[in-house]
Amino acid sequence: VQLQACGGGLVQAGGSLRLSCAASGIIFAIDVMGWYRQAPGKQRELVATITDDGNTNYYVSVKGRFSISSNNAKNMVYLQMNNLKPEDTAVYYCTAVIRLRSTSPNTQHWGQGTQVTVSS
């Protein structure tokens, strides 16, 4: 299984970016997809998740500014980030909880990360 993320970049405070992530490989089902981020010197933290039936969860500091969505048919997840702040600067990692076969337990997989830099 591979998770390929894209869409990061440099943006001024108040600007917007949209991250995309595609899961590929042998996949029976994806139960949850989401995004984490890690800033320099800090631990990786949850940004947002979305379940296969559309339930979403957001880190408190991004609520109202970020929106997560998915396309289950394409095994893709998106993160629309609006009103970006310098403190949003981090490497953003795509993640997915996947079942490889109908009888397999679900396992968490990670993408390679995409840099988001917000200048003040």
Side-chain angles (χ1 to χ4, degrees):
V1 175
Q2 287 190 327
L3 296 177
Q4 184 68 41
C6 63
L10 172 64
V11 64
Q12 288 188 331
S16 299
L17 284 174
R18 178 178 166 90
L19 305 183
S20 301
C21 176
S24 61
I26 299 174
I27 298 172
F28 173 75
I30 299 179
D31 296 328
V32 184
M33 296 192 82
W35 297 90
Y36 281 67
R37 68 187 181 187
Q38 187 167 19
K42 294 187 177 181
Q43 289 188 329
R44 190 174 296 189
E45 64 183 18
L46 170 73
V47 177
T49 59
I50 185 167
T51 64
D52 57 349
D53 57 357
N55 291 316
T56 58
N57 181 45
Y58 294 93
Y59 183 55
V60 60
S61 72
V62 307
K63 279 185 178 180
R65 300 188 297 122
F66 291 11
S67 178
I68 190 170
S69 60
S70 63
N71 183 325
N72 293 340
K74 295 183 177 180
N75 292 337
M76 294 195 68
V77 64
Y78 310 93
L79 186 68
Q80 178 66 42
M81 305 184 292
N82 298 325
N83 191 22
L84 282 159
K85 303 177 180 181
E87 51 263 42
D88 295 318
T89 294
V91 177
Y92 283 69
Y93 295 91
C94 172
T95 186
V97 178
I98 296 172
R99 282 178 285 152
L100 302 182
R101 294 176 177 80
S102 61
T103 56
S104 301
N106 53 25
T107 52
Q108 188 167 16
H109 300 261
W110 294 90
Q112 83 286 4
T114 184
Q115 177 70 45
V116 172
T117 303
V118 184
S119 63
S120 57

